Structure formats: structure tokens, C-alpha cells
Amino acid sequence: MNLSSFVSKVRLRSRPSLSAMQFFLAWCVTCLSAALLFSERIMGGLVTMIIDLGLDPLRAQLIAALALTGGAALVGAACGRHKGGAMVGGGIAFWLGYLANFLQLEQRPVYDPAGNLEVLNEGALIHTAAVMLALGLLSGFLGAAVGVALGEVLLDPPYRVLALIWHRIAHPDDGRTPRRPRATEQHTAQTPSLFWSWVAALLMVLLLVLASSSVDLFVFAPDIGLHSLPPLAPNGRIPAHGTIVQDSLLSSALGGQRRSFLVYLPPTYATPQGRTRRYPTLYLLHGSPGSEYDWLTGGRANQSADALIASG
């Protein structure tokens, strides 16, 4: 190998590849699109629209953030023609536009119905943040996949021209017959691509596993299970916590169908004094779809009742 050919190869290797340029372009366009979409006007309008459909503000903000993340990644992938750059940009946009604010909100003091300070479950908060970030990256991936497909249809003709010009600049034709690459050179070129494809596959599996535990975030609220009530001390012989009883009945109003239900019994119910007194009844009806456990899982009705009874 002479000196001129060695210098030319070093120059070609030092130039940024087309894939790297596409990654950077998709990342930049995604971030710029997210800065526009996550503005107070667009984000606030979308959250208000979702709340009008019947959802609470916390779930509405999460759904709006995921939708805007996918939209920003769609625009970035359509312009940059690179799913990875748009997905990374969408993840960053989701973190800055929603997740960081959510973490700050959950670290503020929270009080139970009796005015007691609830304890923050840091492990649950970290797990919820990881699940939310996985949802944001998956939303970015879906938006990027749609964006690449749209880019192939709408931007393919001008993109081919630019790619041809870039190829001419990066690989100028010196008039010689192109040499067919050897098998060892082909193997060396395919090794990095094979490595990153495995990394992407493992990352996608991890994101899907994390996102599979996100059902409660949409059924109840993103802050479910992040705070626990302070421990309650028993009042003499009276226990601090009530009892949950499960039973079922045949409903004549529903044509003889059997329906299950749960009953919360206050701490004094099993005491000698409690057996001689009558207690008021509060009926909590869950929504549809739903089950009788929703008031315990999402509403924490038993914990609230324990705290209110303990406080008098």
C-alpha cells in the first residue's frame, strides 16, 4: 500500500457516515418538534380534551405526553429517516416534558384523609419511573416507525438525490474499476451492524417487559401505590385496622346472576361492644369495566377508613 492510498482511506474513515448523519438529523428534528408540541398551549389543550372524556388529570397528562412523544418522533423520523435517532429524541422529550415534572410532584408531601403525612415508597417510585420511561421510548419507536414509512412515500424522491450526492462526495470516483471486497472485509463490515442489531433487540425486549406492568397506571392513576399511610397504633384492645370480608349473592334485579362483593368492617366491629351496636353503611359502586377490588386497589378505601376512624 502506497502513501496516497493510505491517506485516502484514512480520510474516508474519518468522514461521518450517512447513518450517523441521519441519526443526528432525526434526533435534532425530534427535539425541535417536541419543544413545540410540549408547549403549554398544545399540551394543555390536549390534556383538557382528555379530561373532558372522563379521565382524571394525572392519567390525562400521561396519555397526552405519550401521544406528543410519538408525534415528535414521527416528524423526526420522517425528516431524518432514522428510527434510532427519533426514538432517542422522543425518550429525551418525554423525560423533560413530563417525567421529570412527575417525579418532582410525587416527592412533595402528601397527607391522608385524616391529615397524617404519608410515606413515600422510593422503590415504587423508581419502578414507576422506569415503566413510564419504557412507555415513552416505545411511543417514540412507534412514532418513528410510522415516520420512516411516511418519509419513504413523501420524501423518498428528494432523499435519493441527496443520498446520491453524499455518496459522490464521500466516495469520489477515481476512474478505476471498483475492487470487489474480500470475504474478510465483508465480515468486518457486518460485525458492528450485527452487534447493534442484537443490542436493539435486547433493549426492545426489556422495554416490552417493563411496559407490561403499566396497566394500573391507566386503570387507576400514575401515582397509585407510591405513598403508604403511616402505621396506626391500636387503641387499647381495639385493633388499628378493619377487616375485609368477601361474599356473594344472587341478584333478583339482574335475573338471578351471582355477584361478588367486599365489606369493610371497622376495627370495633368484632369487640363485645361492637356486637351490640348498629353501624351505618356506605355503598361504594365501582365503574364498568371494573371489579369490587378497585376501591381497595385504586381508592384505598380501607386505609382511608382506618385513618379516619383512628383520628375520631
Side-chain angles (χ1 to χ4, degrees):
M1 179 186 296
N2 55 25
L3 181 61
S4 60
S5 61
F6 175 77
V7 172
S8 62
K9 287 187 176 182
V10 171
R11 288 178 177 176
L12 290 178
R13 291 179 181 177
S14 63
R15 293 174 182 174
S17 63
L18 180 59
S19 178
M21 294 295 294
Q22 290 175 325
F23 181 95
F24 182 73
L25 178 60
W27 180 82
C28 289
V29 176
T30 301
C31 292
L32 292 176
S33 302
L36 176 63
L37 294 177
F38 277 90
S39 62
E40 184 177 356
R41 180 178 180 181
I42 298 179
M43 178 76 171
L46 183 58
V47 169
T48 302
M49 184 185 305
I50 298 175
I51 291 176
D52 292 339
L53 297 177
L55 295 182
D56 57 274
L58 288 178
R59 284 189 294 174
Q61 292 174 6
L62 175 59
I63 295 174
L66 293 175
L68 296 179
T69 298
L74 186 150
V75 177
C79 297
R81 306 294 295 276
H82 198 287
K83 292 190 292 292
M87 181 179 177
V88 173
I92 295 175
F94 180 77
W95 175 274
L96 297 178
Y98 171 78
L99 189 54
N101 297 329
F102 174 80
L103 294 177
Q104 293 179 358
L105 177 64
E106 293 304 318
Q107 292 178 9
R108 297 177 181 176
V110 177
Y111 299 91
D112 67 4
N116 301 315
L117 180 64
E118 296 187 356
V119 181
L120 175 63
N121 189 338
E122 296 182 356
L125 181 61
I126 295 174
H127 177 265
T128 300
V131 172
M132 287 183 171
L133 184 59
L135 290 174
L137 290 173
L138 288 176
S139 298
F141 174 78
L142 294 177
V146 177
V148 169
L150 288 177
E152 291 178 354
V153 176
L154 302 177
L155 303 177
D156 194 62
Y159 177 80
R160 287 179 178 271
V161 175
L162 294 176
L164 179 60
I165 295 174
W166 175 262
H167 181 74
R168 293 280 185 175
I169 296 175
H171 304 282
D173 187 9
D174 55 1
R176 295 179 297 179
T177 302
R179 180 179 62 87
R180 187 175 183 178
R182 299 176 182 176
T184 56
E185 295 177 354
Q186 292 179 350
H187 176 74
T188 304
Q190 293 176 358
T191 300
S193 176
L194 181 62
F195 171 77
W196 287 113
S197 64
W198 275 100
V199 171
L202 293 176
L203 176 61
M204 189 59 59
V205 171
L206 177 61
L207 294 179
L208 292 174
V209 171
L210 287 174
S212 63
S213 59
S214 62
V215 178
D216 288 345
L217 301 182
F218 301 99
V219 175
F220 301 114
D223 63 344
I224 184 68
L226 298 185
H227 295 84
S228 58
L229 292 175
L232 300 176
N235 184 10
R237 296 182 179 180
I238 301 176
H241 301 281
T243 306
I244 302 296
V245 178
Q246 183 180 9
D247 205 340
S248 62
L249 56 80
L250 293 176
S251 173
S252 58
L254 297 178
Q257 298 183 27
R258 180 169 293 276
R259 294 299 188 189
S260 59
F261 60 89
L262 299 174
V263 178
Y264 169 85
L265 302 177
T268 59
Y269 192 84
T271 61
Q273 298 81 3
R275 294 189 180 96
T276 60
R277 59 176 295 189
R278 298 179 63 86
Y279 289 85
T281 303
L282 173 65
Y283 291 89
L284 301 178
L285 305 179
H286 61 81
S288 178
S291 70
E292 65 273 16
Y293 289 95
D294 291 351
W295 276 106
L296 304 182
T297 304
R300 301 191 302 173
N302 55 331
Q303 299 178 13
S304 299
D306 290 340
L308 291 173
I309 291 174
S311 63

